[in-house]
Amino acid sequence: MKNFALCLLAIALLSSCQAAPQKADEPIAIISQESNIEPDGSYNYAYETANGIKAEETGTLKKATSPDSSDVIIARGSVSYTSPEGNLITLNYSADDENGFQPQGDHLPTPPPIPPAIQKALDYLLSLPPAKRR
């Protein structure tokens, strides 16, 4: 029983050593960085790191069109990096008060095409006059 307890203690100590944080990699250098913020809230920034990450974004003030709405910032930007498989990943995006966040990139999943029979049924339903509700 004493040997069993010593084995459990040894295993626990070895496990805690493996779970300890490992030495961190060297920090990645920032090659370039720009940032500009205007008094009206519009802005732009860009940066590039030594490991190939690049990002840029521009925010533009959109004035309210009615008393019921408020001013908003419209953002447009992109970010690119190299995936672990060695592929260049580029994400372009825009964000505003009307359409929300709209990402675009070849790496993003897309829905499969609608089967022809389903599309035919949807087209038929759209051709019908609107139903009256009671």
Side-chain angles (χ1 to χ4, degrees), residues 23-98:
K23 180 181 175 187
D25 293 336
E26 290 294 318
I28 306 299
I30 297 173
I31 295 172
S32 66
Q33 182 177 8
E34 298 176 29
S35 179
N36 184 33
I37 302 173
E38 298 296 330
D40 67 354
S42 60
Y43 64 91
N44 61 39
Y45 73 81
Y47 64 86
E48 181 177 358
T49 63
N51 63 350
I53 298 173
K54 296 178 185 177
E56 61 181 53
E57 182 173 301
T58 300
T60 309
L61 179 68
K62 176 183 171 186
K63 292 287 190 180
T65 56
S66 71
D68 297 339
S69 62
S70 60
D71 296 349
V72 295
I73 298 289
I74 306 298
R76 294 189 185 282
S78 67
V79 62
S80 64
Y81 62 94
T82 303
S83 73
E85 295 81 24
N87 301 322
L88 179 64
I89 304 294
T90 300
L91 175 72
N92 296 304
Y93 59 89
S94 63
D96 61 33
D97 60 327
E98 296 174 8

